[in-house]
Amino acid sequence: SQKIEQNSEALNIQEGKTATLTCNYTNYSPAYLQWYRQDPGRGPVFLLLIRENEKEKRKERLKVTFDTTLKQSLFHITASQPADSATYLCAPLNTDKLIFGTGTRLQVFP
Amino acid sequence: SQTIHQWPATLVQPVGSPLSLECTVEGTSNPNLYWYRQAAGRGLQLLFYSVGIGQISSEVPQNLSASRPQDRQFILSSKKLLLSDSGFYLCAWNWGRESPLHFGNGTRLTVT
């Protein structure tokens, strides 16, 4: 069955450093993958979409890579800030539906 | 601009009681509508989605049901709640393939 894995342990980094979050998927080949941010008690908010024929996508301090050979997406936040603290969810497309990972909680310390 | 409303924000219900959660979208027409559930420490689980009025697809067998009586209204229901129905319920909409999902602020349901 299709499986999505994100690091369940929280990622703690110092302000100003680059945060890198990992999303691995198995047993299918998504046409694209989306990343979302979720704050406690709130619904997820869309950040970026990357297609299977794109290696990298950037938006301000955010960068996403998509390696279809490794079946992996990496999500980078450069010059991280305490306001970036949240849970980040990856969501590869499975046929016509998005399947969400459990998310990785990022904590940025000043 | 488009907005999505979901209510109530929190709900405590006894086992065996009925459930009705409502979601409405404003500022768009013919959206795809979704119900997700997020249990503690688990990912978002797709429960139902709808591509049009009266068209409902169920993803997970359970004692929940969904209805779409109007274009921008999506309702999640249960006749008898179970303890395992506790969780964070999220409604979302988009315009289809490759379109980002826009989520409501969710309903925290506790079944006691």
Side-chain angles (χ1 to χ4, degrees), chain A residues 95-107:
Chain A
T95 57
D96 290 331
K97 295 174 286 291
L98 288 176
I99 305 298
F100 284 83
T102 54
T104 297
R105 189 163 61 89
L106 172 66
Q107 188 73 40

Side-chain angles (χ1 to χ4, degrees), chain A residues 8-56:
Chain A
S8 59
E9 294 183 8
L11 177 63
N12 300 311
I13 65 167
Q14 190 175 21
E15 182 176 11
K17 303 292 185 183
T18 296
T20 299
L21 308 177
T22 304
C23 175
N24 296 299
Y25 58 91
T26 55
N27 295 329
Y28 70 117
S29 299
Y32 66 81
L33 185 149
Q34 297 184 4
W35 281 88
Y36 289 78
R37 168 185 172 142
Q38 186 174 22
D39 291 289
R42 312 280 290 190
V45 174
F46 171 77
L47 297 174
L48 282 168
L49 178 152
I50 186 165
R51 298 179 178 83
E52 60 180 339
N53 60 350
E54 298 174 317
K55 296 293 185 183
E56 181 179 296

Side-chain angles (χ1 to χ4, degrees), chain B residues 74-109:
Chain B
F74 206 22
I75 298 172
L76 182 69
S77 304
S78 173
K79 293 182 179 178
K80 288 185 177 182
L81 284 168
L82 306 172
L83 285 174
S84 58
D85 291 324
S86 294
F88 190 44
Y89 288 82
L90 288 155
C91 180
W93 73 271
N94 71 0
W95 281 312
R97 188 177 174 87
E98 290 200 18
S99 170
L101 284 168
H102 303 275
F103 287 87
N105 282 330
T107 295
R108 176 76 57 191
L109 172 66

Side-chain angles (χ1 to χ4, degrees), chain B residues 17-59:
Chain B
S17 64
L19 173 74
S20 180
L21 301 180
E22 189 164 341
C23 170
T24 59
V25 180
E26 295 179 356
T28 185
S29 58
N30 301 317
N32 291 343
L33 295 172
Y34 305 80
W35 279 111
Y36 284 87
R37 176 171 61 199
Q38 189 172 35
R42 302 185 66 178
L44 285 167
Q45 180 186 35
L46 178 62
L47 301 176
F48 300 95
Y49 71 96
S50 170
V51 298
I53 296 174
Q55 300 178 60
I56 309 294
S57 295
S58 174
E59 290 297 302

